[in-house]
Structures are given as structure tokens and as C-alpha cells.
Amino acid sequence: MDAESLLLSLELASGSGQGLSPDRRASLLTSLTLVKRDYRYDRVLFWGRILGLVADYYIAQGLSEDQLAPRKTLYSLNCMEWSLLPPATEDMVLQTSVVKGRFMGDPSHEYEHTELQKMSEGEKVFEEEVVVQIKEETRLVSVIDQIDKAVAVIPRGALFKTPFGPIHVNRTFEGLSLSEAKKLSSYFHFREPVELKNKTLLEKADLDPSLDFMDSLEHDIPKGSWSIQMERGNALVVLRSLLWPGLTFFHAPRTKSCGSIYVGTGEKNIDLPFML
Amino acid sequence: MEDLESLKQEKENQEPGEAGRPWEEIAASSQDPESALSEPLESEQWPETGPQPRSSLPQSPLFRSSTPLDDLTGPGASSPPSPPQEDSFTPSTLALAGQELATPWQSDKTTVNVNPKAGTPRSHHLEQSSDKGESTAPQTCQSEGNTFQQSQQTKRLLYGPEDMSDNNSEQKELRFNVFQEEDSNSNYDLDHAEPGVSEVAPSLLEIAIQSAKAYLLKTSSKSGLNLYDHLSDMLTKVLDERPENAVDIIESISQDVKMAHFRKKLDTLQNENEMLPIYEIAEKQKALFLHGNLEGADQELEDEIAENSLPNVMESAFYFEQAGVGLGTDETYRVFLALKQLTDTHPIQRCRFWGKILGLEMNYIVAEVEFREGEDEEDVEDENVTEERDDGDSEADENDEEELRRTFYKTPQPIPKEESRTGANKYVYFVCNEPGGPWVKLPSVTPAQIVIARKIKKFFTGHLETPIVSYPPFPGNESNYLRAQIARISAGTHVSPLGFYQFGEEEGEEEEEVEGRQDNFEENPDFEGIQVIDLVESLSNWVHHVQHILSQGRCNWFNPTQKSEEEEEEEDEEKEEEKGEEPDYMEQEVGPPLLTPISEDLEIQNIPPWTTRLSSNLIPQYAIAVLRSNLWPGAYAFSNGK
């Protein structure tokens, strides 16, 4: 959710029961303004909160003019001092995928993971147990990246692709209509398209290149990994990800206001296919 | 661009000496012989206008070598020379003026107006056009002059009324413009607004304008729109709304205008359908707000206050908000009103907002209530009757099967569910999907349901009648599953500061002592509170106040080997066969007693079951202690230390 409209957004997303305490809200409003100035971001998003056993991580993201350009991610434990996280690499994701369980809330905490590595000494080949140490900060980076890639959502039309390539906020976006808001096809993954290239020409025929340049949620696997609900008597549509429980996206139809927040443990729901 | 300009400059540098005549010749040499015929005519006129251009020509190199900014101001500076020409009404001088003035602009425009010398097809076209024009105005047949004039014309238009007089004088040149593609349409409109100006060939101009307008008005066979109306709609929209940097979003505006056409058609069909649910819910919730006003009698009000079965939801919501948990003020208040509705319509002793459970399609708002003494019996009995009937049916079926198969397997006796007001069924739970919706009472939970619920993991849908498809199969539908989960969550997470509750002393103490456990407790009137810091630092200051559910599925252990008499008789017959297979005595399961400190909770997968913290580190003196369950994420408890 946009840091500038934080209070309204939190109110709209409060249906999930997880919000921010008044002092956190106030400090976020102050510190994110400063973050925007110091790092010269075009837009600062409050991304959410990852609940740790000892402390919680508060995450914010800075966007440049091009909305789909790689984002800068910052985290904070007290909502005032922000630290920049390195961009996620594939190695990181692979390395941290072995870590299970909850976050601790201490970025320097090291998870220990033992894995078997084949060692060859002369002709002998034997397996040796190697203890790999993984920093929690690395895990944080990869989890945020995974969540962003899997479930970051934006309504159709909120962004548009300029003829020169960069993606901008659509100033003329006036919200989805009610009938559109109830369909998953009106929401896009807020990331570089992956599935779009694999579509057939027939499927692409009706797409508007300036608007339909991202993947829609419609074909997400497994089917039904989103819960879409109308709240407040159709005045608010709320999408909750079941794959990453804790991610709430809200949009008030016919208004510009939309955003998403993640408040959760940072664990993927791997039981999803059995729970549906 | 710069190259072009420098080229021009070189050219112009040659010019001053010969008063532009060599240039004319160059231009003429590329034209048809016919146009060359007109040259003498012009050359005759040169001397007449000679002084005028000459006076301005020496300035021109200076003028051109200056910065582009000067080019922009050019028209203003160069317009003074033209009025005298206007008086003379000699087209050729105008053409000359056009040449002079146009050159800097030519360098601005660079590519649009093609120089005939370049010999492109386009210039050829222009030549032809000038040939045609010759019949009516032979003295201005130079295509070059025309193109320059053109560029000047468009520039001038930007300067509006001031230059209008110049414009008028140049109307004669306009007829050539008709043949140029890139001409802006607005030219025609402006020209059209000044009828009678075109003295030389009015009919041609009008025809051109009309044909252009007709082209713009051509209706698209696809959408039924035409460009003329569309452009005017767009401009109207832009001028009405006056968005910033309109040029950046002109494509979207164009699209919006087109979309507006579609919306109108669907208006009557869609809107009403879409709006219906909004009104429905508003109507439902209106009842909540009106309810208080209806019973305005003072006595009732006093009674109500005295009874006080309604919890102060807003107050606890305030504290939960400090902890960063909560539904938002608006929704909480609606829940509050819904709870009031519940307590008004049911004989309820105590009521509590248990929480909210998110479902796939709808959510549940759960209220935990305790009925007044003796007022809930009817419901319970009804339930028992129906359940017994069900049991009877199933037993009958089983008997049939047994007769058929004659198996040795004997279904273990189902463990009876706990009576209401005890164990897992201590409270009754009501749920509704939305504040203002009907409250539905959940059935009481059976041990079997709790046991299975522990083994499965399913999403709630929001519809109570949904069957639960799972393995192992769950006995019941979603309402049973919901009730079982509520019981498990309550047992796991309902905690209070040590000493807040004490064991009840008056009733039935002896019986409970026999069982070795007490399940009655009451609020401790002498409770003085525990310092918030202590509550945060030590988990042993928190105790469970809901009984632990045994792995049997009950809070109070039930000995399944105690057989009822009938069964015992049957048992005797079969005993010889079963001997040794089943131990007669099962070890009694014992859970931790009530009001056990939560510091004794077990860790699961190395995760400590509870996390404590202060709600605020900034103002610790007024902060509250917050307890978060890691076992049941989403369960929170707070204490303000009083």
C-alpha cells in the first residue's frame, strides 16, 4: 500500500484482523517520508510485516518511475531505522529454500542446515556432512522476493505501458466496475509477465497491449488459490492469497484506492492442495 | 537540424548581394518551363518591392545566426515589414516575404517541408500543384514559395489575432495548401470562420474545406463513430476537466471518450443489478442501528444496564489496537451492535466477542455465550433427541450389516460428548457471516470431531452446511468442524494473568476433588494486577483458563472400558474370543489442570508457543502486555496490568 495513503489503506485492509498499532502507524508515516526523500524514490510502498518469534520485520519498498523496474526493499525492526536489503538472486532463493519454520526477528540469526556433499579423495568417493549456515537476512530477502513474484497484485488498468516501454501509474484509472471487480481476470500479478509469452495468438487477440502487459490471476495454479470476497456490502473487494496466508489485497470498486499488505509468518502454505 | 541551418545560412549569405534573385532562379530551374514563363512577371515586380526586402535582408544573417529562441520570436519581429506589402496587394511580394520569413522556420521544421531541390517525389507533386494553381494565379506559381508560405502560415496561426491581418492577405496562397497532406485541419476551421476573404478562388477553398470536413465526418463502419465528433468530444472533455499535462494522457482521454459511448447503452441493464446487494446489507444493518431507539423506555434501559451481559467490545478493541490487532473501528462497532442484538434476543448470562474466522467466500464472526441458568435446556434436549435418532438409525444399519457379514470386529463404543456447561461444551457459540446477519447457534462438539479435527487441515468456506471432504473422514459438516476448531483454539489460547481467576469454592468442591481436578473458577475479587513488565518477562504469570482437551477429545476423561449393563451382557458372551486382545484397563489420560501457567506449554518443532512484548517501546509507562500465540497464529491476549 502507498505510504502516503497509509491510514486509509490500513483501515480498508483491517478486515483480516491484522493492522498496526497507533505508535507504529505514526512512526511509519514519519520515517517513510524520510526514506522517500533520502533514497529518492518516486513512490514508497509499505509492504507489510513478517512476524518473528522475538520481533517483527517491517518491510517497505521503493519504486522508481518505471513501476515494474526492480524494486528496492528496506526493512526495519522499529519502524524508524530502515536498512536496505540486497536484491534477491536465484542462488539465494535456492539456498534458503531448505530453511523451514518461523522467522526469529533477528537479521543476524543463523540457521544451520546440514547437507550431504559428495567428496572425492583420490579414488574414494564418500559423502560428508557439511553444515551450511544461512543468515536470516538472506532468508528475508528471498521470502520477500518469492511473495512479490507469487502474489503481488494490481488491478487491471492501474498501470499502463507507455509506448517507450516504461510502465507508469495510470492517471486516468478510475477503479474497476463492480462486475469486473468480482472476477479474478481483472487482477494482475504485479511483476514482469511470465505466462504472457506462452499464450496463443488467439488468446492474445483481445488483449490491449498498453494495459494487458502482465499475467492475470485467473490461471494461477492451483486453481482456487485466491479467496475473493466483497466486504461492506460490495463497497470493498478483498483478495486473500491462500498460498501465502497473510497477504491481503483490497480495492474499492470505482475508486482509485487499492493496495496490498502482507502480515504473516513468511511461510508458504504447502498444504494448500489438500485444504481446498 | 543544425546542419540544415548552417546550409541555409550559407545560402542566405549569398543572397544579400543579389537581392535573392539567384535563389529564385535556382528554384525556377527545377520547375517546368511554364513556371519559368512567369519569371519575367516577377522580375518586373522586384524593383517595386526591392527597397523593402533589401532593408530587411541585411538583417537576416544576423537574425539567423542568433539562437533558436530568436526564431521563436521571429514572427513578431518580422511581421512589421509585411503590413506595407499587404496594402500593395501584390501576391508576389507576399511570396517573397514568405521566403524571407520562412527560411529560419524552414530550418526549424527541417524535414517537413521538402525543398524542391532535393528532387523528391513530394516536390514533384508540389510542382504539379503549382501548375494547376497557375491558371488562376500565375504570378505566385513558385512551389518553393508556397511551401515556405505554408510553414509560415502554420506558425502564424499560433500567434492568433495579432497576425490575422497577415493571414488574410495570404489567403490567396492557401489554395495550394489543400494538396498538402500534413496540413492541420484547424487551418480550415479558422479559414472557414472568415468568409469572403478568399477573393481569388472562393469556390475551390470552400470545396476543399467541405471535402475535408466530409472526410472527418465519415462514420466508421466498425464503431459507428466519426472522427469529427470524437475530436470535439475529446477537446470538450479536456477543457471541462482541465487535467494537468493533458498531452501525456491524450490517448487515454480518447479511449475514455470512446468507452463512454458503450457505458450509456448498458446503463439501464447493469446498474440496478449491481447495486442491489449494497442496499440489502445497508437495510439489514439499519435494523441494528434502529434497535436501540425502539425500546426507549427508561425502565428497560435500567434493566439492561443492570443485566450487563454485553461486553464492552470497543474497549477491548482499543487495547487490541495497541497491540496491532483488530478489525477497524467501523467493523468493530458493527460487531458490537450485532452482539447487542444477540443478547437482546436470547437469554444470555454472559457474552464475549470470540473472534473472526476468515473463510473462502464469507467470514464468520464468532460470539461465545453462556446461557442463563436453566434457559438453554430445551435446545439441548432437542439436539439430543435428534442425535439419538441418528444414532438409532446407524445402529440399525450396523446390526443389519453384522447379520450379513458376521464379523468379529466390534465397533468401539463412541466416547460420549461432554454435557453442556462442562468441558469443551462449556460455552455455546453463535456465528454470523456479517454484522446484521442472522446468528446461528453451533451444535455442541463431540470428542470424535475433535479427534479428527486434529488430523485434518481444511479451509472454511463460509457456508455452514458445506460437507467436509477429508481423510480421515470428518463426522459432520462445516458447522461441526468450526465448532471443533473453536474448542481447540479456545483450549489452546485462552489465557489470563495469574491470579485473575481463582477456583470456585462454594459448589461441589468434594466431587471435583475426587476427580482430582477442578473445572470451576471465578473472578478473583482481590486480584490486584501484575506489573506489565512482569507479564512480558515471564510466561509463568499467565495461566490457561480453559481446560486442556485430552487426546480422547474430551476435557474430563471418560473411561471407555466401563460398559453399560446391556453391553456387558453381550460382552460376556464374546469374552472368550476377545480375551487377551483388549486390555481391560486403560490408563487414564490426565491433562494439565486448569489455571496452569503457560510457561509449561510444550514447544512444537522448536517453536516456542508464545511470544510476549510490550505494545509500545516509546511510551512504556502506558504500554500493555501483549501475548501472541505461535501455535494458533492470530490468537492474541493483552493485559494492561490492572
Side-chain angles (χ1 to χ4, degrees), chain A residues 11 14-25 49 51-54 56 102 170-172 177-179 208 227-234 240 242 254 269 271-272 274-276, chain B residues 244-245 249 252 255-256 274-275 277-278 281 321-331 356 358-363 434 457-459 607-608 611 613 615-616 618 628 630 634 636:
Chain A
E11 176 74 24
S14 66
S16 299
Q18 300 276 15
L20 289 173
S21 61
D23 62 327
R24 295 291 190 209
R25 254 181 286 170
R49 182 153 76 114
L51 305 175
L53 293 178
V54 182
D56 298 344
R102 296 279 302 267
N170 188 357
R171 287 199 304 163
T172 54
S177 73
L178 252 183
S179 51
D208 180 344
S227 149
I228 185 164
Q229 283 192 13
M230 304 302 294
E231 281 189 7
R232 307 186 182 186
N234 281 0
R240 293 193 180 91
L242 307 176
R254 293 195 196 131
N269 182 10
D271 295 331
L272 177 65
F274 305 99
M275 292 174 72
L276 290 170
Chain B
E244 259 180 67
N245 303 338
I249 52 167
S252 323
Q255 201 175 21
D256 281 354
E274 285 189 344
M275 299 297 275
I278 297 186
I281 285 159
E321 199 191 346
Q322 307 294 311
V325 190
L327 295 178
T329 328
D330 180 64
E331 192 174 352
K356 179 176 177 179
L358 301 177
L360 292 179
E361 285 156 47
M362 282 190 278
N363 306 321
E434 249 171 325
K457 200 176 173 187
K458 290 289 281 185
F459 281 121
I607 298 170
T611 299
R613 63 179 186 87
S615 65
S616 168
L618 301 173
R628 183 163 77 204
N630 295 326
Y636 288 80

Side-chain angles (χ1 to χ4, degrees), chain A residues 7-218:
Chain A
L7 294 183
L8 174 69
S9 306
L10 280 176
E11 176 74 24
L12 290 177
S14 66
S16 299
Q18 300 276 15
L20 289 173
S21 61
D23 62 327
R24 295 291 190 209
R25 254 181 286 170
S27 43
L28 276 180
L29 280 177
T30 307
S31 62
L32 288 182
T33 315
L34 295 179
V35 162
K36 187 179 176 183
R37 184 197 64 184
D38 295 342
Y39 290 88
R40 305 188 180 198
Y41 293 136
D42 184 56
R43 232 169 118 205
V44 174
L45 302 179
F46 177 62
W47 187 87
R49 182 153 76 114
I50 290 186
L51 305 175
L53 293 178
V54 182
D56 298 344
Y57 292 103
Y58 293 83
I59 317 286
Q61 282 183 329
L63 301 187
S64 55
E65 187 99 349
D66 183 357
Q67 303 288 320
L68 271 194
R71 303 173 205 174
K72 304 283 188 309
T73 309
L74 303 115
Y75 77 93
S76 167
L77 291 168
N78 59 4
C79 288
M80 280 315 284
E81 289 141 11
W82 295 89
S83 331
L84 196 64
L85 287 172
T89 60
E90 278 183 25
D91 283 347
M92 269 189 194
V93 176
L94 200 69
Q95 191 191 11
T96 54
S97 61
V98 293
V99 182
K100 297 276 182 301
R102 296 279 302 267
F103 278 86
M104 293 305 296
D106 172 17
S108 55
H109 174 83
E110 288 189 337
Y111 299 95
E112 288 186 353
H113 174 70
T114 51
E115 59 183 34
L116 293 173
Q117 284 192 350
K118 275 189 180 172
M119 306 284 284
S120 56
E121 205 171 81
E123 290 179 2
K124 282 183 184 173
V125 176
F126 56 93
E127 288 186 336
E128 196 180 329
E129 282 193 356
V130 179
V131 179
V132 187
Q133 300 213 316
I134 299 160
K135 268 182 83 176
E136 183 157 280
E137 195 176 5
T138 320
R139 188 185 171 202
L140 188 67
V141 171
S142 90
V143 163
I144 292 172
D145 183 59
Q146 282 180 57
I147 293 178
D148 265 345
K149 284 198 174 134
V151 290
V153 183
I154 194 89
R156 179 179 185 271
L159 300 178
F160 78 102
K161 192 172 196 169
T162 54
F164 302 108
I167 283 124
H168 287 198
V169 176
N170 188 357
R171 287 199 304 163
T172 54
F173 178 61
E174 282 169 346
L176 300 170
S177 73
L178 252 183
S179 51
E180 281 175 338
K182 289 176 182 169
K183 288 180 208 148
L184 271 184
S185 55
S186 329
Y187 301 95
F188 289 144
H189 284 290
F190 192 3
R191 57 147 198 238
E192 289 287 341
V194 179
E195 301 294 323
L196 209 58
K197 289 170 230 155
N198 305 337
K199 282 195 168 179
T200 61
L201 275 178
L202 205 61
E203 288 168 315
K204 278 190 206 165
D206 293 332
L207 300 183
D208 180 344
S210 69
L211 295 178
D212 302 297
F213 53 90
M214 292 183 280
D215 301 327
S216 87
L217 299 187
E218 203 178 8

Side-chain angles (χ1 to χ4, degrees), chain B residues 62-64 66-81 101 104-105 108 155-156 158-159 162-163:
Chain B
L62 264 174
F63 177 58
R64 271 160 218 135
S66 57
T67 57
L69 255 179
D70 287 359
D71 284 352
L72 286 177
T73 55
S78 56
S79 53
L101 293 172
W105 293 319
D108 265 352
K155 278 282 174 189
R156 285 245 174 122
L158 295 174
Y159 292 83
E162 301 163 11
D163 291 336

Side-chain angles (χ1 to χ4, degrees), chain B residues 389-628:
Chain B
R389 239 179 258 149
D390 289 344
D391 289 348
D393 291 346
S394 58
E395 271 170 26
D397 291 342
E398 279 166 20
N399 287 338
D400 291 345
E401 277 176 24
E402 270 175 32
E403 277 173 26
L404 285 169
R405 290 184 197 168
R406 187 72 193 162
T407 52
F408 294 112
Y409 176 75
K410 189 171 170 300
T411 49
Q413 185 193 5
I415 294 158
K417 71 176 183 186
E418 287 170 299
E419 283 172 28
S420 55
R421 290 177 184 283
T422 60
N425 286 327
K426 181 166 182 176
Y427 300 106
V428 179
Y429 293 89
F430 282 86
V431 295
C432 68
N433 289 120
E434 249 171 325
W439 286 98
V440 181
K441 189 180 158 205
L442 292 179
S444 30
V445 67
T446 64
Q449 284 163 358
I450 288 182
V451 171
I452 301 296
R454 278 176 171 151
K455 294 177 184 167
I456 62 173
K457 200 176 173 187
K458 290 289 281 185
F459 281 121
F460 291 104
T461 61
H463 303 281
L464 286 173
E465 287 78 30
T466 318
I468 302 282
V469 182
S470 67
Y471 184 82
F474 183 81
N477 55 22
E478 188 166 300
S479 62
N480 299 102
Y481 183 52
L482 179 62
R483 181 64 186 81
Q485 290 296 73
I486 289 174
R488 292 179 60 208
I489 293 171
S490 302
T493 64
H494 281 193
V495 294
S496 54
L498 179 68
F500 184 74
Y501 288 113
Q502 62 181 14
F503 291 111
E505 286 163 7
E506 308 102 53
E507 43 177 294
E509 206 176 320
E510 288 168 22
E511 288 173 32
E512 280 158 15
E513 274 175 7
V514 171
E515 282 178 41
R517 46 190 301 124
Q518 293 174 305
D519 60 357
N520 267 311
F521 59 87
E522 57 188 15
E523 273 185 44
N524 184 356
D526 304 325
F527 179 65
E528 283 173 352
I530 300 174
Q531 282 295 307
V532 170
I533 298 293
D534 296 337
L535 284 171
V536 172
E537 280 173 358
S538 168
L539 285 178
S540 55
N541 284 323
W542 294 89
V543 295
H544 284 284
H545 65 252
V546 174
Q547 273 184 306
H548 176 77
I549 303 177
L550 304 170
S551 54
Q552 190 183 39
R554 283 171 59 104
C555 294
N556 299 313
W557 194 67
F558 173 80
N559 188 354
T561 50
Q562 281 177 352
K563 306 278 156 56
S564 60
E565 289 176 13
E566 290 173 32
E567 280 176 359
E568 270 174 13
E569 284 170 20
E570 287 174 30
E571 197 93 334
D572 289 336
E573 294 166 15
E574 296 168 13
K575 207 151 200 176
E576 288 165 18
E577 298 165 21
E578 287 184 8
K579 217 173 198 177
E581 287 174 14
E582 204 178 292
D584 277 4
Y585 175 74
M586 280 170 77
E587 201 174 322
Q588 183 178 347
E589 296 171 22
V590 182
L594 206 58
L595 302 188
T596 307
I598 60 170
S599 52
E600 290 178 22
D601 286 4
L602 296 174
E603 282 194 2
I604 292 180
Q605 291 170 352
N606 291 328
I607 298 170
W610 296 95
T611 299
T612 56
R613 63 179 186 87
L614 271 183
S615 65
S616 168
N617 294 320
L618 301 173
I619 311 173
Q621 53 267 46
Y622 290 109
I624 56 172
V626 180
L627 192 64
R628 183 163 77 204

Side-chain angles (χ1 to χ4, degrees), chain B residues 52-172:
Chain B
Q52 188 81 48
R54 247 169 221 159
S55 62
S56 64
L57 274 172
Q59 290 174 6
S60 55
L62 264 174
F63 177 58
R64 271 160 218 135
S65 59
S66 57
T67 57
L69 255 179
D70 287 359
D71 284 352
L72 286 177
T73 55
S78 56
S79 53
S82 41
Q85 295 167 0
E86 190 187 345
D87 293 340
S88 68
F89 270 105
T90 47
S92 60
T93 53
L94 280 177
L96 186 67
Q99 283 166 16
E100 286 169 14
L101 293 172
T103 34
W105 293 319
Q106 168 79 2
S107 60
D108 265 352
K109 289 216 157 193
T110 61
T111 55
V112 180
N113 293 319
V114 183
N115 204 323
K117 280 173 278 184
T120 57
R122 171 149 186 78
S123 68
H124 189 66
H125 172 74
L126 283 172
E127 280 164 29
Q128 285 176 348
S129 69
S130 64
D131 291 348
K132 280 179 197 167
E134 219 177 335
S135 56
T136 49
Q139 61 270 62
T140 57
C141 63
Q142 290 177 3
S143 64
E144 197 176 29
N146 174 33
T147 49
F148 290 159
Q149 195 70 39
Q150 169 64 27
S151 66
Q152 183 192 18
Q153 181 92 29
T154 46
K155 278 282 174 189
R156 285 245 174 122
L157 279 171
L158 295 174
Y159 292 83
E162 301 163 11
D163 291 336
M164 267 314 191
S165 54
D166 296 342
N167 234 344
N168 293 350
S169 65
E170 284 155 16
Q171 289 299 323
K172 293 151 205 161

